[in-house]
Amino acid sequence: MSLAVVRNLASPRRLQNAAEAEDFEQELVDQFLLAGVGAGVTDSVVCQERSLIFEFLRFLSRPLWTAGPEDADRFLASQRRGGLAHSTVQRKAWALASFYDFLIARYSGDIHALTGYVVEQIVDEFNRPAKAEYGAPRVPPSTAEVEELFGGWRQALPQARKFLPSARDYLAASLWRRVGLRIGETVMLDLRDWRPDLGEHGKRPDLGEHGKLHVRFGKGSRGRGPKTRLVPAIDEVDRLITWWLAEVRHQFGDDWDDPDAPLLPSERRDPMTGRCLRAGDGALRQGLAQAVDRHLPKWSRRLSPHGLRHSCASRLYEQGMDLKAIQELLGHEWLSTTTRYVHVHDDHVEQAWAAANQRVSARLDAKAR
């Protein structure tokens, strides 16, 4: 999409009538959206924010610079009464807060000069919704339950009615479980994105001991396009990918040596080229759901790919990996996001306290010697 260039907002005179006020309001919105385009925000997010701002203005029924926190209170309350999801209300509130931050930072002086109003932030610490997880926590299955699921799945693979898609779905779910990939990141992996460590003769320091997956389509914040990262193939992911490439992938088609071919292909072919199409996220979700129904039925219709991502973070934290390393593995921009992915046992505080005391005692004993 494209936005028209607007005139300079600065003006020494007051607005004379309702038409000028409406034009000025439109220009403020356009400037905000243009700033988003300049920051690299995707067209879809720009459209969503534009729609939200005008939805609020229709609700307000007066110029945007006259709004106060009480108007945001009424708007957000009406959104909740409408049955919208927690995450949707949260997104709308945060977008409004961003818009009014923009007005205050860039155009508070112009707005006061033209209207006589001092624009204020309408979404404050009192009405700002908490992160969407405040509704129901996404607690993953225990480590033992995840082991039960994948152990049964692994043993059943040789007897699967359709071995190739079953093996593909198993590999995808293993990436969610072991290194916390998002399903969208998994779908977009190509063969070239696997960068193995080639042993002593081909060893590269940047690939580490296990090799790495190049995630080229990571989730960017506020729609700013893909965010890339290198994910180390820890926790036997390197062995799983080696198995996949050596024993399974070539059975899908003769594109097995094409670097641009999908790592996780569909059984369907492109009618124009005859090459394998990319497996969709729906197929991978269905593969996990069927495995859960068969091997961990008490979690049927409750365990999602994102749930396995939470399970990965929790397990790695329990095993002693620090939060900063988990943050980098999962591709989170903020450490606070990572902390919401870590679910610990009820006695975690007691265990951590005992471990800390043991470390202190060990240091004192060493000094005493």
Side-chain angles (χ1 to χ4, degrees):
M1 65 171 290
S2 61
L3 296 172
V5 177
V6 298
R7 64 178 174 81
N8 190 348
L9 293 177
S11 174
R13 62 183 180 84
R14 292 290 185 96
L15 300 176
Q16 300 300 312
N17 51 51
E20 288 189 358
E22 185 175 344
D23 289 343
F24 180 50
E25 190 173 61
Q26 177 68 60
E27 289 174 352
L28 291 171
V29 176
D30 287 347
Q31 289 288 359
F32 173 67
L33 300 178
L34 282 169
V37 173
V41 177
T42 59
D43 290 349
S44 62
V45 174
V46 169
C47 290
Q48 289 174 7
E49 292 183 340
R50 181 184 186 279
S51 176
L52 165 64
I53 292 169
F54 282 107
E55 179 186 3
F56 175 71
L57 293 180
R58 287 192 298 270
F59 177 88
L60 185 63
S61 298
R62 62 180 195 270
L64 61 84
W65 47 83
T66 66
E70 65 280 0
D71 298 304
D73 295 345
R74 293 188 300 109
F75 176 72
L76 296 176
S78 71
Q79 298 294 300
R80 291 200 179 87
R81 285 196 298 269
L84 295 181
H86 294 312
S87 58
T88 302
V89 177
Q90 169 209 296
R91 177 180 57 80
K92 290 187 174 187
W94 288 11
L96 281 177
S98 178
F99 175 54
Y100 274 85
D101 277 343
F102 170 84
L103 295 179
I104 293 168
R106 287 202 181 182
Y107 296 113
S108 57
D110 293 314
I111 292 172
H112 183 262
L114 290 171
T115 70
Y117 282 87
V118 177
V119 66
E120 61 179 320
Q121 177 56 264
I122 65 172
V123 181
D124 54 26
E125 64 270 24
F126 300 104
N127 61 11
R128 184 187 300 267
K131 190 70 175 175
E133 284 85 347
Y134 74 88
R138 194 195 304 262
V139 179
S142 66
T143 300
E145 289 172 324
V146 173
E147 291 289 347
E148 179 183 349
L149 166 62
F150 280 86
W153 196 352
R154 182 169 55 251
Q155 291 180 2
L157 272 182
Q159 292 79 41
R161 185 174 64 87
K162 299 182 72 174
F163 171 74
L164 292 182
S166 297
R168 177 201 65 205
D169 299 342
Y170 175 81
L171 174 63
S174 296
L175 296 178
W176 309 331
R177 168 207 179 186
R178 295 181 182 275
V179 289
L181 291 194
R182 300 179 178 92
I183 186 169
E185 298 169 344
T186 310
V187 166
M188 296 305 296
L189 288 172
D190 287 340
L191 290 172
R192 69 165 68 251
D193 294 325
W194 169 231
R195 302 183 178 184
D197 173 60
L198 301 177
E200 292 299 328
H201 298 291
K203 187 174 286 295
R204 288 175 47 185
D206 59 322
L207 296 180
E209 182 179 348
H210 304 282
K212 293 185 178 179
L213 279 167
H214 184 202
V215 175
R216 292 175 292 115
F217 292 89
K219 181 180 178 183
S221 61
R222 197 170 170 249
R224 284 183 172 86
K227 180 180 177 182
T228 64
R229 70 184 188 280
L230 288 173
V231 175
I234 59 174
D235 198 15
E236 299 186 349
V237 165
D238 52 348
R239 295 185 181 182
L240 281 167
I241 295 179
T242 299
W243 159 76
W244 170 254
L245 295 177
E247 301 185 25
V248 185
R249 178 60 180 85
H250 66 278
Q251 299 184 52
F252 278 89
D254 57 7
D255 62 348
W256 58 271
D257 60 348
D258 180 357
D260 295 319
L263 180 68
L264 300 173
S266 169
E267 289 185 295
R268 298 180 180 180
R269 301 298 182 95
D270 186 323
M272 300 295 293
T273 65
R275 309 297 290 273
C276 292
L277 293 172
R278 192 179 302 277
D281 58 359
L284 300 184
R285 289 182 188 276
Q286 184 179 15
L288 173 63
Q290 292 173 348
V292 172
D293 290 343
R294 188 173 299 114
H295 305 295
L296 196 65
K298 60 185 174 182
W299 276 86
S300 291
R301 294 183 295 279
R302 291 196 296 146
L303 181 57
S304 66
H306 203 71
L308 287 177
R309 184 167 154 88
H310 278 247
S311 175
C312 171
S314 301
R315 178 178 54 82
L316 293 176
Y317 184 73
E318 288 177 355
Q319 292 175 350
M321 182 179 286
D322 65 78
L323 283 174
K324 182 62 177 176
I326 298 175
Q327 175 192 4
E328 293 180 4
L329 182 71
L330 299 185
H332 288 152
E333 183 174 2
W334 303 105
L335 190 61
S336 59
T337 305
T338 306
T339 61
R340 289 193 294 271
Y341 279 61
V342 173
H343 308 270
V344 297
H345 296 296
D346 292 339
D347 62 347
H348 174 72
V349 173
E350 290 87 346
Q351 291 179 0
W353 178 80
N357 278 318
Q358 289 175 0
R359 290 193 295 270
V360 172
S361 297
R363 285 198 296 269
L364 294 175
D365 289 342
K367 290 181 179 180
R369 297 194 189 104

